[in-house]
Amino acid sequence: MTHVRRAGAVVGIVVLLAGCRVDARFDITTRDDGSGTLRVTITVDADAVQQLGGSTGLAQTVPLDDLRTVGWTISPWTRATRGSQTITLSHPFVDQGDLVRRVVDLTGPRGVLQNPTVTRERGWFSSRDAVSVVVDVRSPSVDIVHDAPLAARLRAAGFDPALLERQLAAQLKSALHVSVVVHLPGGHTESYDAVPGSIKALRVVHGGTDWDRVSRFVIGLMLALLAAAFLLAASVGARRNRRRSAQRTGREELSDRAVPM
């Protein structure tokens, strides 16, 4: 497992492009059944593109094979505005636990996104969907110290892992710019641009009383009541007609008996 995978793909890219600006937009899209898609769009500035030799250099230098191996769909690097380059990584998730794993792929176990949750509530006349995630850009970390094999290799090469981690953390703090966009069922979307050095427990909620469903229920109930009333009226009318017919038959029989022979 490469160091970029352990630290998270996004943080790994920023490390490679230390001193350059990297914008990371995370899109979390959920569906009615709690599944969805996690997508991150990474944009690096023109200085980074030039530093690494254009889109070809970016493709060769930025290691993303680990993500492809675990099912991520990764676009080619493409030219954006003012000489910048952008790449998109996406992966479906089946439930909340799977979303947690996908977030760790991108940002690491203690990265800029943490503890994502997906909430679904369904009732007869109401529904509520929510996504929560902690966006922590106080001090993005590559987590070198806790990566024992990497730390050992760095010490063997004469580097202090703790000092290197602090230096990289300072570069990450100024280079990485994060935004999160949450898309809930029903077309509800909210976005958040993280303030450098901040932490926020982001929660996006959508739902409530489904008045269309209430209206359909009321209309259905009224139609059912009307149908029952018609059936009751028809039944009463039929019984009344049978009684009248029986009474006429009885009178006719009495009249026949009263005729003299």
Side-chain angles (χ1 to χ4, degrees):
M1 183 178 293
T2 67
H3 171 55
V4 170
R5 177 71 186 280
R6 287 294 298 274
V10 175
V11 172
I13 290 173
V14 181
V15 170
L16 290 170
L17 304 175
C20 303
R21 179 183 174 104
V22 177
D23 295 307
R25 167 176 163 155
F26 297 88
D27 284 81
I28 303 173
T29 302
T30 62
R31 292 186 284 269
D32 282 331
D33 61 358
S35 65
T37 303
L38 175 62
R39 183 177 72 249
V40 59
T41 303
I42 301 171
T43 303
V44 299
D45 64 14
D47 289 341
V49 175
Q50 184 176 7
Q51 176 180 316
L52 294 180
S55 57
T56 302
L58 282 169
Q60 294 174 346
T61 305
V62 177
L64 296 173
D65 289 341
D66 278 352
L67 292 180
R68 290 189 178 92
T69 300
V70 293
W72 283 83
T73 299
I74 302 174
S75 74
W77 286 96
T78 57
R79 183 179 177 84
T81 59
R82 298 180 181 178
S84 62
Q85 292 275 339
T86 185
I87 188 172
T88 300
L89 303 82
S90 64
H91 198 301
F93 58 86
V94 297
D95 54 23
Q96 177 178 303
D98 199 21
L99 175 59
V100 171
R101 290 187 286 273
R102 303 290 74 87
V103 167
V104 172
D105 285 345
L106 292 176
T107 69
R110 289 178 289 275
V112 293
L113 295 190
Q114 302 171 22
N115 304 323
T117 63
V118 178
T119 303
R120 297 174 58 252
E121 298 174 3
R122 296 292 184 270
W124 277 48
F125 304 117
S126 65
S127 64
R128 186 179 301 274
D129 294 275
V131 168
S132 300
V133 65
V134 175
V135 185
D136 186 357
V137 290
R138 292 174 298 178
S139 182
S141 172
V142 295
D143 205 21
I144 293 174
V145 173
H146 294 92
D147 190 332
L150 177 61
R153 290 196 297 271
L154 288 172
R155 292 190 188 94
F159 294 98
D160 179 353
L163 176 61
L164 181 59
E165 182 166 317
R166 287 195 296 270
Q167 292 172 340
L168 290 174
Q171 294 172 339
L172 284 170
K173 191 172 183 178
S174 61
L176 180 60
H177 300 264
V178 174
S179 61
V180 179
V181 183
V182 176
H183 310 267
L184 296 179
H188 183 76
T189 297
E190 290 187 25
S191 60
Y192 168 69
D193 295 322
V195 177
S198 68
I199 181 172
K200 180 179 177 64
L202 177 65
R203 180 172 173 81
V204 179
V205 182
H206 178 64
T209 302
D210 188 338
W211 293 109
D212 287 340
R213 184 175 297 179
V214 172
S215 298
R216 290 194 297 269
F217 176 80
V218 171
I219 291 172
L221 180 61
M222 292 177 63
L223 290 174
L225 291 174
L226 285 172
F230 282 129
L231 288 174
L232 179 61
S235 176
V236 171
R239 288 198 299 270
R240 184 178 296 130
N241 289 335
R242 286 195 296 271
R243 285 199 301 269
R244 289 175 179 173
S245 177
Q247 289 172 354
R248 283 196 300 271
T249 300
R251 286 195 296 269
E252 290 173 354
E253 291 177 350
L254 289 174
S255 177
D256 290 341
R257 291 173 184 172
V259 175
M261 297 298 294

